Each structure stands twice: as C-alpha cells, then as structure tokens.
Coordinates of all heavy atoms in Angstrom, one line a residue:
T1 N 44.7 325.9 -21.7 CA 44.3 325.0 -22.7 C 45.1 323.8 -23.0 O 44.7 322.8 -23.7 CB 44.1 325.7 -24.0 OG1 45.4 326.1 -24.5 CG2 43.2 326.9 -24.0
S2 N 46.2 323.6 -22.3 CA 47.3 322.7 -22.6 C 46.8 321.3 -22.7 O 46.3 320.7 -21.7 CB 48.5 322.9 -21.6 OG 49.6 322.1 -22.1
R3 N 46.9 320.7 -23.9 CA 46.5 319.3 -24.1 C 45.0 319.0 -23.9 O 44.7 317.8 -23.9 CB 47.4 318.4 -23.3 CG 49.0 318.5 -23.6 CD 49.6 317.6 -22.7 NE 51.1 317.6 -23.0 CZ 52.2 317.0 -22.3 NH1 51.8 316.2 -21.4 NH2 53.4 317.2 -22.6
K4 N 44.2 320.0 -23.8 CA 42.8 319.6 -23.5 C 42.0 319.2 -24.7 O 42.4 319.2 -25.8 CB 42.2 320.8 -22.8 CG 42.7 321.1 -21.4 CD 42.0 322.2 -20.7 CE 42.6 322.4 -19.2 NZ 42.0 323.5 -18.5
R5 N 40.7 318.7 -24.4 CA 39.9 318.0 -25.3 C 39.6 319.0 -26.5 O 39.5 318.6 -27.6 CB 38.5 317.6 -24.7 CG 38.8 316.4 -23.8 CD 37.5 316.0 -23.2 NE 37.0 317.0 -22.3 CZ 35.7 317.0 -21.8 NH1 34.9 316.1 -22.0 NH2 35.5 318.0 -20.9
V6 N 39.5 320.3 -26.2 CA 39.1 321.3 -27.3 C 40.3 321.4 -28.3 O 40.0 321.4 -29.5 CB 38.9 322.7 -26.7 CG1 40.1 323.3 -26.0 CG2 38.5 323.6 -27.7
I7 N 41.5 321.2 -27.9 CA 42.6 321.2 -28.8 C 42.6 319.9 -29.6 O 42.8 319.8 -30.8 CB 44.0 321.3 -28.1 CG1 44.0 322.5 -27.2 CG2 45.1 321.3 -29.0 CD1 43.8 323.9 -27.9
G8 N 42.3 318.8 -28.9 CA 42.3 317.5 -29.6 C 41.2 317.4 -30.7 O 41.4 316.9 -31.8
E9 N 40.0 318.0 -30.3 CA 38.9 317.9 -31.2 C 39.1 318.7 -32.5 O 38.9 318.2 -33.6 CB 37.6 318.3 -30.6 CG 36.4 318.3 -31.4 CD 35.0 318.4 -30.7 OE1 35.0 318.0 -29.5 OE2 34.1 319.0 -31.3
Y10 N 39.6 320.0 -32.3 CA 39.6 320.8 -33.5 C 40.9 320.7 -34.2 O 41.0 321.2 -35.3 CB 39.4 322.3 -33.1 CG 38.0 322.5 -32.6 CD1 37.5 322.7 -31.3 CD2 36.9 322.6 -33.6 CE1 36.3 322.9 -30.9 CE2 35.6 322.8 -33.2 CZ 35.2 322.9 -31.9 OH 33.9 323.1 -31.5
S11 N 41.9 320.0 -33.6 CA 43.1 319.9 -34.4 C 43.3 318.4 -34.9 O 44.3 318.1 -35.5 CB 44.4 320.1 -33.5 OG 44.5 319.2 -32.4
A12 N 42.2 317.6 -34.6 CA 42.2 316.2 -35.0 C 43.3 315.4 -34.5 O 43.9 314.6 -35.2 CB 42.1 316.2 -36.6
Q13 N 43.7 315.7 -33.2 CA 44.9 315.0 -32.7 C 44.3 314.3 -31.4 O 44.1 315.0 -30.4 CB 45.9 315.9 -32.3 CG 47.2 315.3 -31.6 CD 47.7 314.0 -32.3 OE1 47.4 312.9 -31.8 NE2 48.4 314.2 -33.4
A14 N 44.2 313.0 -31.5 CA 43.7 312.2 -30.2 C 44.7 312.0 -29.1 O 44.3 311.9 -28.0 CB 43.2 310.8 -30.7
E15 N 46.0 312.1 -29.4 CA 47.0 311.8 -28.4 C 47.3 313.1 -27.7 O 47.9 314.1 -28.3 CB 48.2 311.2 -29.0 CG 49.5 311.2 -28.1 CD 49.1 310.3 -26.8 OE1 48.5 309.2 -27.0 OE2 49.4 310.9 -25.8
P16 N 47.0 313.2 -26.4 CA 47.2 314.6 -25.7 C 48.7 315.1 -25.8 O 48.9 316.3 -26.0 CB 46.9 314.3 -24.2 CG 45.8 313.2 -24.4 CD 46.3 312.4 -25.6
K17 N 49.7 314.2 -25.7 CA 51.0 314.7 -25.7 C 51.5 315.2 -27.1 O 52.6 315.8 -27.2 CB 52.0 313.6 -25.2 CG 51.9 313.4 -23.7 CD 52.8 312.3 -23.2 CE 52.8 312.1 -21.7 NZ 53.7 311.0 -21.2
K18 N 50.7 315.0 -28.2 CA 51.0 315.4 -29.4 C 50.2 316.7 -29.9 O 50.2 317.0 -31.1 CB 50.8 314.3 -30.4 CG 51.7 313.1 -30.2 CD 51.4 311.9 -31.2 CE 52.3 310.7 -31.0 NZ 52.1 309.7 -32.0
R19 N 49.6 317.3 -29.0 CA 48.8 318.5 -29.4 C 49.5 319.8 -29.3 O 48.8 320.9 -29.2 CB 47.5 318.5 -28.4 CG 46.6 317.3 -28.6 CD 45.5 317.3 -27.5 NE 44.7 316.1 -27.8 CZ 43.8 315.7 -26.9 NH1 43.6 316.2 -25.8 NH2 43.1 314.6 -27.2
I20 N 50.9 319.8 -29.4 CA 51.6 321.0 -29.2 C 51.3 322.1 -30.2 O 51.2 323.2 -29.9 CB 53.2 320.7 -29.2 CG1 54.0 322.0 -29.0 CG2 53.6 320.0 -30.4 CD1 53.8 322.7 -27.6
Y21 N 51.1 321.6 -31.5 CA 50.9 322.6 -32.6 C 49.5 323.3 -32.4 O 49.3 324.4 -32.6 CB 51.1 322.0 -33.9 CG 52.4 321.3 -34.1 CD1 52.5 319.9 -34.2 CD2 53.6 322.1 -34.1 CE1 53.8 319.3 -34.3 CE2 54.8 321.5 -34.2 CZ 54.9 320.1 -34.4 OH 56.1 319.5 -34.4
G22 N 48.5 322.4 -32.1 CA 47.2 323.0 -31.9 C 47.2 323.9 -30.6 O 46.5 324.9 -30.6
N23 N 48.0 323.6 -29.7 CA 48.1 324.5 -28.5 C 48.7 325.8 -28.8 O 48.2 326.9 -28.4 CB 48.9 323.8 -27.4 CG 48.0 323.2 -26.3 OD1 48.2 322.0 -26.0 ND2 47.2 323.9 -25.7
I24 N 49.7 325.8 -29.6 CA 50.4 327.1 -30.0 C 49.4 328.0 -30.8 O 49.4 329.2 -30.6 CB 51.7 326.8 -30.7 CG1 52.7 326.3 -29.8 CG2 52.2 328.1 -31.3 CD1 54.0 325.8 -30.4
A25 N 48.6 327.4 -31.7 CA 47.6 328.1 -32.4 C 46.6 328.7 -31.4 O 46.2 329.9 -31.6 CB 46.9 327.2 -33.4
A26 N 46.1 327.9 -30.4 CA 45.2 328.6 -29.4 C 45.9 329.6 -28.6 O 45.3 330.7 -28.4 CB 44.7 327.4 -28.5
D27 N 47.2 329.3 -28.3 CA 47.9 330.3 -27.5 C 48.0 331.7 -28.3 O 47.9 332.8 -27.7 CB 49.3 329.9 -27.2 CG 49.3 328.7 -26.2 OD1 48.3 328.5 -25.5 OD2 50.3 328.0 -26.2

C-alpha cells in the first residue's frame, strides 16, 4: 500500500512522501 492513492484519499494527504502515518494505520 506504500504511498498509494488509497492512503492519500482516506488520510487527506496529497503528497505521496508524506503518507507515512496513513500507511502505518493501513499496515
């Protein structure tokens, strides 16, 4: 899932490199 659109959409983070917190929640 790393940095993917699903993380960006549901975490409201447009910048892929800043999606770490959303990624950890998905993980």
Side-chain angles (χ1 to χ4, degrees):
T1 63
S2 189
R3 300 180 179 175
K4 289 186 177 176
R5 289 178 296 168
V6 63
I7 307 297
E9 181 166 328
Y10 290 105
S11 68
Q13 176 50 258
E15 173 54 50
K17 289 183 179 180
K18 295 180 180 179
R19 293 173 183 168
I20 180 63
Y21 304 113
N23 260 124
I24 289 174
D27 294 339

